[in-house]
Amino acid sequence: MIKRIMTDVDVKAGIQQILKRVDAAYEQRPKELKGDKPLLVAVSKTKPVEMIIDAYSVGQRHFGENYVQELVEKSQHPDILAQCPDIKWHFIGHLQTNKINKIIKLPNMHMVQTVDSEKLANNLNSAWQKFEKENKQPLNVLIQINTSGEEVKNGVAPSDATKLYKYIKENLKELNLNGIMTIGAFGHDYSKGPNPDFISLMQVHKQICEENQLNEKDVQVSMGMSDDFEKAIEMGSTIVRVGSSIFGYRAKKPSA
């Protein structure tokens, strides 16, 4: 059940402020980095429907959710369906294969950002193929890469990313492989230099483009969150996932 929560957070102002910061960071990006102007995905996990509607009302369309059940509830909420007809949902959490069918049939499901294995990709491809939907297009996906090497993080190793990219591109026609993403380690000290996770992801991006003869603009890069999205944009990110800077800090999800 999604709780109604009273809040003093001005979501509309938050969206507008973040978009200004996105534009400013984009202007600082070196010209040799040819990626598109970054897309803002507002991470609305644990936040109430009212906040999502507020953000939508000022033009925000892309929203990210980490938990399957929360995405199921929010995407089918009557207020969302009535007031946010063009909303685009991104799933940005770890997706278990037994939860695939729960999310692919949801209204306005736009992208799964966390494909990290051939098994998950195969299962998504098979499920989407069976899903009957009017004017159905391939499902948008990104490959999640574990750039930090942390055991608690999901994602394919950077050394295996190009192999998975090629496998999906050549074999899974129900998936529209847009690019790559990373979560990365939290709290990098920028006084010590650029974020190594961002460096690693951009190296993978370059390798994918070179091996597949692709234009750099044709492979999206999703990296950067509330505390570092500007640095990520300057290094080449084309998708940023921002939550607390828009919606306020969230409480940790209670243990089951």
Side-chain angles (χ1 to χ4, degrees):
M1 178 67 68
I2 300 171
K3 297 180 180 179
R4 292 182 175 271
I5 303 172
M6 298 300 291
T7 178
D8 293 327
V9 176
D10 188 338
V11 172
K12 295 178 182 180
I15 286 284
Q16 293 164 342
Q17 182 63 30
I18 293 300
L19 287 173
K20 289 179 181 177
R21 290 170 62 186
V22 166
D23 287 343
Y26 182 57
E27 288 298 316
Q28 295 300 314
R29 178 188 289 172
K31 300 304 179 186
E32 61 267 22
L33 295 176
K34 302 172 183 177
D36 293 331
K37 179 179 176 179
L39 171 72
L40 172 62
V41 175
V43 179
S44 47
K45 67 177 182 180
T46 77
K47 297 303 180 180
V49 163
E50 294 90 340
M51 283 187 161
I52 296 172
I53 294 172
D54 275 353
Y56 186 95
S57 73
V58 291
Q60 181 62 26
R61 292 294 178 266
H62 293 262
F63 293 82
E65 289 289 337
N66 286 62
Y67 308 121
V68 169
Q69 189 55 39
E70 196 171 351
L71 177 59
V72 168
E73 291 184 20
K74 288 177 177 176
S75 65
Q76 299 180 100
H77 192 283
D79 292 345
I80 294 285
L81 294 173
Q83 299 181 53
C84 308
D86 298 320
I87 197 168
K88 299 181 188 300
W89 294 106
H90 295 240
F91 187 72
I92 59 175
H94 177 57
L95 181 59
Q96 297 172 304
T97 54
N98 63 349
K99 299 288 181 68
I100 286 174
N101 287 328
K102 286 191 172 185
I103 70 166
I104 64 168
K105 298 180 181 179
L106 297 176
N108 298 307
M109 188 66 213
H110 179 71
M111 178 181 284
V112 176
Q113 291 204 18
T114 49
V115 176
D116 60 359
S117 68
E118 288 186 9
K119 178 183 177 182
L120 179 57
N122 284 330
N123 279 280
L124 273 171
N125 188 77
S126 178
W128 195 253
Q129 189 173 34
K130 296 173 184 175
F131 177 34
E132 295 185 5
K133 181 179 180 182
E134 188 177 355
N135 301 320
K136 184 177 75 170
Q137 301 294 318
L139 175 64
N140 296 311
V141 299
L142 300 179
I143 292 174
Q144 181 178 2
I145 300 172
N146 186 352
T147 53
S148 62
E150 296 170 276
E151 290 186 6
V152 295
K153 294 266 175 41
N154 295 295
V156 64
S159 58
D160 295 327
T162 55
K163 179 184 176 183
L164 180 56
Y165 188 96
K166 189 171 184 179
Y167 176 81
I168 294 173
K169 273 291 190 183
E170 292 182 352
N171 299 288
L172 306 182
K173 303 308 179 186
E174 296 293 323
L175 303 183
N176 181 28
L177 180 51
N178 289 175
I180 55 179
M181 75 87 81
T182 190
I183 294 174
F186 180 75
H188 174 68
D189 182 358
Y190 283 93
S191 69
K192 298 180 179 179
N195 190 322
D197 290 309
F198 297 166
I199 293 173
S200 177
L201 197 67
M202 293 310 298
Q203 288 172 340
V204 172
H205 178 263
K206 182 179 181 181
Q207 186 178 0
I208 285 172
C209 292
E210 289 177 350
E211 290 186 6
N212 296 278
Q213 293 81 51
L214 295 170
N215 188 306
E216 291 178 18
K217 293 183 69 173
D218 293 334
V219 180
Q220 300 297 313
V221 178
S222 176
M223 64 183 188
M225 296 184 283
S226 284
D227 64 333
D228 58 11
F229 71 90
E230 288 153 309
K231 297 291 187 182
I233 290 170
E234 290 175 17
M235 291 189 67
S237 180
T238 60
I239 302 172
V240 292
R241 310 177 305 272
V242 179
S244 57
S245 293
I246 296 170
F247 298 107
Y249 288 95
R250 62 181 67 88
K252 289 186 177 181
K253 189 181 181 188
S255 302

